[in-house]
Amino acid sequence: MTKWQYPQSFNELYTYIDLNDRNLWYGLFFTFWTPFFWNVICKIEYHTQVFSKAFGSPKLACFTLSLLQILSSNCRNYYIKETMVNQKHFETPYNDLLVIVEYCIVAVGGLLVVTAFFRLGWFGTWHGDHFGLLLDEKVTAFPYNVVEHPMHVGGTLNFLGLALGTRSLVGLLLTMWVKGVYYVTELVEGPFTEMIYAKAAGSKKKKN
């Protein structure tokens, strides 16, 4: 049976985190850049409609720019996975069990992400409301009746599952970084989105 093998001092801890690994830094960067870039784009569009004008329609602008967001997200996922897989792993007597735990956690995370996407649709997922593409009503069905931000929770669970399955200490730290960035993103996006729908509701009442 495999014995426990993990860092037992701060000096030993550093051997599990290779700061010279470019994948680590790229993963950290794209985790921050992905929501930052999209929030900047969306705020500019909301206040100026510059992208809708440039592309000829809000739908085309949102769809095209969302492809850049998807590319950035995939870069984040790739570099974080490479970091987890290639850096030093801790060992436990339960390595095989951790792989099963990984599959279960990733399955739950994937379920949250996929069902949230189908509830919101393409434009709802990619902040179409900032482009004037508002949803008819607030989505309250599963998974939104379970967690407030299922895509963020699901994404975090996917990284957590992979970190446990690969027994990656740096992976657990990266998962905490992802969760932190998601948390700050929610603080920024939430109130602004609520403001958009409040203004739309106010304009609708005035027309009636």
Side-chain angles (χ1 to χ4, degrees), residues 63-143:
F63 175 78
T64 304
L65 293 171
S66 68
L67 297 180
L68 296 178
Q69 181 74 345
I70 292 172
L71 175 62
S72 182
S73 296
N74 285 335
C75 287
R76 175 201 62 193
N77 297 345
Y78 171 79
Y79 288 119
I80 288 181
K81 181 178 180 180
E82 286 295 298
T83 302
M84 292 188 191
V85 170
N86 293 316
Q87 290 215 19
K88 187 175 179 180
H89 307 145
F90 58 85
E91 298 294 339
T92 80
Y94 311 105
N95 290 351
D96 293 337
L97 178 60
L98 283 175
V99 174
I100 296 174
V101 171
E102 172 192 0
Y103 290 155
C104 293
I105 293 177
V106 170
V108 173
L111 177 65
L112 292 175
V113 171
V114 171
T115 52
F117 177 80
F118 279 108
R119 292 293 185 191
L120 294 177
W122 187 278
F123 297 112
T125 298
W126 300 110
H127 294 328
D129 39 38
H130 290 64
F131 292 76
L133 307 170
L134 276 64
L135 297 173
D136 295 331
E137 58 185 2
K138 185 176 182 179
V139 178
T140 56
F142 182 84

